[in-house]
Amino acid sequence: MRSFWKELPILVIIALALALLIKTFLVQAFSIPSDSMQDTLQRGDRVLVDKLTPWFGSEPERGEVVVFHDPGGWLGESQTKSSGPVAEGIQKALSFIGLMPSAEEKDLIKRVIAVGGDTVSCKRGGKVMVNGKPLDEPYIFPGNTPCDEKPFGPIKVPEGRIWVMGDHRQDSLDSRYHQNLNNGTVSVDDVVGRAIVIAWPINRWATLPVPGTFDQPGLGAAAAMAPSALGFAGALPIVLWRRRRLIAKVRTEAESRPERLTADC
């Protein structure tokens, strides 16, 4: 029994170190503070965010739900409610090891609609268009329209940035409302990670997969360039053939020229 009490502090330190390591490099818990992602996410849900894949150079993809730092002014001036020194101390300790979200961090959660190189737009009464392809969006909050209250675009998303929107379109101050700053796009460097699962409450447990609408053929910006790429691929053999003929002709003329000079002499 005595050895157990001696080892207990070491076990606690190891557990805290592992929790901190997991929070820093693997996953972190975030609380949903608003209704901007309904019905996919409800206010008060706890989601687990994958922080590992960005360490390997992975960037956000269309359809993923991501957590990102406030790019600047998206959240405005929010006033923090004081819950007393004891409660604040507990929250800081738990947020330090990743078991609770920090009250001081200014993070947002939205769905990635377009990535670097994409062109995104939406007209009143229409669907969101990405590279000329309409998105069928079953995840939008019932009764909402894709963008009737805030049509936009077309906007070309710069490389290294993303265009994000909330699933509750009429209750989400997303990329559409911040076009005065980098056309509303968010730097991938500000992305904390991808939300992969709703972990709490238990009756809300669910994964957060990429909707099928983002898998439709031709959605990628590269696919929009396919006709010209195919044209180039088709023309390349002809160009090479003509180049070989020209080289052969020049070589033949060069070989025959000394003979004529010798004859003239």
Side-chain angles (χ1 to χ4, degrees), residues 15 25-26 31 85 104 116 121 125 136-137 156 158 167 183 216 256:
F25 298 104
L26 300 179
S31 177
E104 298 171 0
S121 64
D136 180 20
E137 302 183 281
K156 181 69 177 287
D167 290 354
N183 274 344
Q216 60 177 298
S256 62

Side-chain angles (χ1 to χ4, degrees), residues 210-217 219:
V210 172
T213 187
F214 292 95
D215 295 329
Q216 60 177 298
L219 186 63

Side-chain angles (χ1 to χ4, degrees), residues 62-81:
R62 303 178 200 93
E64 293 181 346
V65 176
V66 296
V67 171
F68 56 95
H69 300 310
D70 185 355
W74 281 39
L75 289 174
E77 294 296 327
S78 55
Q79 301 205 353
T80 334
K81 294 182 181 178

Side-chain angles (χ1 to χ4, degrees), residues 9-24:
I10 300 174
L11 293 175
V12 171
I13 292 172
I14 293 173
L16 290 174
L18 287 174
L20 182 60
L21 183 66
I22 290 171
K23 174 209 169 179
T24 305

Side-chain angles (χ1 to χ4, degrees), residues 36-263:
S36 69
M37 282 297 293
Q38 283 182 317
D39 266 351
T40 304
L41 300 173
Q42 303 291 342
R43 186 191 294 259
D45 283 353
R46 298 289 195 276
V47 297
L48 297 183
V49 173
D50 168 26
K51 300 176 70 175
L52 177 64
T53 49
W55 285 89
F56 292 95
S58 175
E59 294 191 354
E61 297 183 2
R62 303 178 200 93
E64 293 181 346
V65 176
V66 296
V67 171
F68 56 95
H69 300 310
D70 185 355
W74 281 39
L75 289 174
E77 294 296 327
S78 55
Q79 301 205 353
T80 334
K81 294 182 181 178
S82 176
S83 51
V86 176
E88 287 180 3
I90 293 173
Q91 179 171 17
K92 284 182 179 179
L94 292 177
S95 66
F96 179 73
I97 59 175
L99 296 179
M100 277 190 72
S102 172
E104 298 171 0
E105 290 180 358
K106 292 188 174 182
D107 296 319
L108 300 96
I109 185 165
K110 305 290 179 189
R111 189 180 298 277
V112 179
I113 301 298
V115 296
D118 289 343
T119 299
V120 61
S121 64
C122 185
K123 294 181 179 178
R124 192 181 303 276
K127 294 184 176 182
V128 174
M129 307 285 289
V130 177
N131 299 323
K133 296 288 183 179
L135 297 182
D136 180 20
E137 302 183 281
Y139 45 80
I140 291 180
F141 185 75
N144 280 193
T145 57
C147 69
D148 280 5
E149 72 288 351
K150 190 70 174 178
F152 61 90
I155 292 171
K156 181 69 177 287
V157 182
E159 293 295 336
R161 305 190 71 86
I162 55 176
W163 174 274
V164 298
M165 299 174 73
D167 290 354
H168 195 164
R169 295 289 159 82
Q170 291 175 293
D171 194 12
S172 176
L173 298 179
D174 46 43
S175 288
R176 297 169 293 165
Y177 292 87
H178 300 283
Q179 295 180 52
N180 60 320
L181 180 65
N182 295 306
N183 274 344
T185 62
V186 177
S187 171
V188 296
D189 293 333
D190 287 330
V191 176
V192 177
R194 174 187 174 184
I196 52 176
V197 66
I198 303 171
W200 187 264
I202 296 298
N203 63 343
R204 291 268 306 145
W205 190 93
T207 57
L208 297 169
V210 172
T213 187
F214 292 95
D215 295 329
Q216 60 177 298
L219 186 63
M225 300 170 61
S228 57
L230 288 174
F232 175 77
L236 185 60
I238 299 174
V239 173
L240 292 176
W241 174 74
R242 293 190 64 182
R243 187 168 181 269
R244 281 197 297 267
R245 285 194 62 187
L246 181 60
I247 292 172
K249 183 179 178 181
V250 171
R251 186 177 297 164
T252 302
E253 291 178 355
E255 290 173 351
S256 62
R257 194 170 296 121
E259 294 178 3
R260 288 198 296 268
L261 290 173
T262 303

